[in-house]
């Protein structure tokens, strides 16, 4: 059942994403963002998971840039893990609520030893919405990889009835990708201060969709 | 400083709890507030400072201070 759901999600994301008009106002090649200077910890809000998945697939994975994610050990997490794995993303299981320390440590190894960049949906897996958890900050601090805040906006969207009001783009809508400035978290930095900085950086990239259901 | 003292020092550093108040039976989450991000800090610091390697299976079994001490003593 999870395999079928993952297959269908990949198809829907692929079809919707291909119909949309994508815009990157920075005009930068993607390897200026990710991978050129070593791995990064890419952070985004959980509501943008669908948009992020398609953007990663069309801009990052096609260039062979190795990416890893952590997926929760819930049934939803299993579907998410199979979906991401089907696109060639390395998936480590665990979350802030279950098996997190092992999952986070495997992500640390993926960054530190194997050179993978990591995607963190920082208010997941269960919210509160727009409240960043400290996992990405600690991972960046321990691995030395900088944090890269990313926000993806779609003009016309549906919202699912989930805790994060997951965004699904309507066909043929315009999608804009924005990034904040990458920042490192040194061993001396206070984790809570860096977490709030990350949260503010993501909120600063937010834009209210112009037309929503 | 022996391995046990170093281990307790790392636990105190990561948890922010006074070294002298840490007891072997203390629960890492409930008593010392070691959540997933702090657990990553703890494991990386233990490996770096003690020069040991802790497997995922051993890490997953660590629930109390004594569990950590036993793993460190066995490596």
């Amino acid at each position: 059942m999870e395999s079928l759901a993952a297959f269908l999600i990949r198809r829907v994301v692929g079809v919707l994403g291909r119909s949309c008009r994508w815009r990157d106002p920075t005009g930068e090649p993607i390897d200026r963002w990710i991978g050129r200077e070593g791995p990064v910890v890419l952070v985004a809000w959980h509501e943008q998971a669908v948009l992020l998945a398609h953007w990663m697939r069309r801009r990052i994975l096609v260039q062979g840039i190795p990416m890893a994610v952590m997926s929760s050990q819930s049934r939803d997490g299993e579907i998410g893990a199979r979906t991401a794995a089907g696109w060639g993303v390395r998936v480590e299981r665990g979350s802030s609520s279950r098996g997190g320390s092992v999952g986070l440590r495997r992500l640390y190894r993926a960054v530190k030893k194997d050179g993978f960049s990591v995607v963190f949906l920082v208010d997941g897996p269960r919210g509160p919405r727009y409240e960043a958890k400290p996992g990405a900050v600690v991972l960046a601090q321990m691995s030395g990889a900088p944090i890269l805040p990313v926000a993806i906006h779609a003009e016309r969207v549906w919202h699912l009835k989930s805790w994060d009001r997951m965004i699904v783009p309507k066909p043929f809508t315009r999608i804009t990708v924005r990034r904040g400035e990458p920042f490192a978290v040194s061993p001396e930095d206070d984790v809570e201060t860096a977490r709030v900085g990350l949260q503010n950086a993501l909120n600063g990239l937010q834009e209210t969709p112009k037309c929503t259901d | 400083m022996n391995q046990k003292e170093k281990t307790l020092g790392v636990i105190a550093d990561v948890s922010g709890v006074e070294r002298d108040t840490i007891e072997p039976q203390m629960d890492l989450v409930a008593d010392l507030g070691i959540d997933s991000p702090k657990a990553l800090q703890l494991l990386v610091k233990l490996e770096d400072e003690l020069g040991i390697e802790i497997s995922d299976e051993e890490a997953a079994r660590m629930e109390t201070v004594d569990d950590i001490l036993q793993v460190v003593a066995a490596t």
Side-chain angles (χ1 to χ4, degrees), chain A residues 95 100-101 104-106 108-109 134-135 138 141-142, chain B residues 36-37 39-41 43-44 47 54-56 59-60:
Chain A
S95 68
S101 60
L104 198 55
R105 187 156 171 258
R106 287 177 176 161
Y108 165 79
R109 287 198 191 114
V138 172
Q141 186 178 50
M142 303 308 288
Chain B
S36 301
L40 174 63
Q41 291 176 317
L43 291 165
V44 172
E47 290 186 332
I54 299 168
S55 69
D56 287 346

Side-chain angles (χ1 to χ4, degrees), chain A residues 87-99:
Chain A
W87 281 322
V89 175
R90 175 163 156 180
V91 181
E92 301 294 357
R93 306 301 302 274
S95 68
S96 55
S97 45
R98 287 174 65 195

Side-chain angles (χ1 to χ4, degrees), chain A residues 47-190:
Chain A
E47 64 176 11
Q48 295 164 21
V50 171
L51 295 165
L52 194 70
H54 192 77
W55 176 70
M56 281 175 56
R57 188 167 164 244
R58 70 191 289 274
R59 292 296 308 279
I60 302 174
L61 297 171
V62 293
Q63 296 202 25
I65 297 171
M67 301 293 295
V69 297
M70 188 157 75
S71 181
S72 76
Q73 292 179 323
S74 65
R75 187 161 175 267
D76 286 350
E78 176 66 27
I79 294 170
R82 288 175 187 246
T83 303
W87 281 322
V89 175
R90 175 163 156 180
V91 181
E92 301 294 357
R93 306 301 302 274
S95 68
S96 55
S97 45
R98 287 174 65 195
S101 60
V102 172
L104 198 55
R105 187 156 171 258
R106 287 177 176 161
L107 272 192
Y108 165 79
R109 287 198 191 114
V111 176
K112 187 81 176 172
K113 296 183 176 165
D114 302 333
F116 278 65
S117 289
V118 166
V119 175
F120 245 94
L121 302 172
V122 287
D123 52 345
R126 292 186 304 200
R129 197 177 177 215
Y130 301 149
E131 187 176 303
K133 295 194 173 67
V137 169
V138 172
L139 179 63
Q141 186 178 50
M142 303 308 288
S143 67
I147 290 177
L148 176 67
V150 169
I152 306 180
H153 308 279
E155 287 191 353
R156 292 179 298 111
V157 303
W158 290 291
H159 285 285
L160 303 186
K161 294 186 188 304
S162 50
W163 66 267
D164 60 350
R165 304 194 69 229
M166 177 80 73
I167 293 170
V168 179
K170 290 186 175 178
F172 309 108
T173 192
R174 185 191 303 273
I175 296 176
T176 305
V177 183
R178 292 195 177 132
R179 73 164 174 89
E181 285 302 312
F183 63 97
V185 185
S186 76
E188 296 76 31
D189 286 342
D190 177 58

Side-chain angles (χ1 to χ4, degrees), chain B residues 8-23 26-28 31-34 38:
Chain B
L8 292 172
V10 171
I11 295 170
D13 183 35
V14 170
S15 67
V17 173
E18 285 286 331
R19 156 74 188 82
D20 294 342
T21 64
I22 294 175
E23 300 290 340
M26 280 182 158
D27 186 277
L28 299 179
D31 298 324
L32 298 175
I34 296 180
K38 284 186 177 175

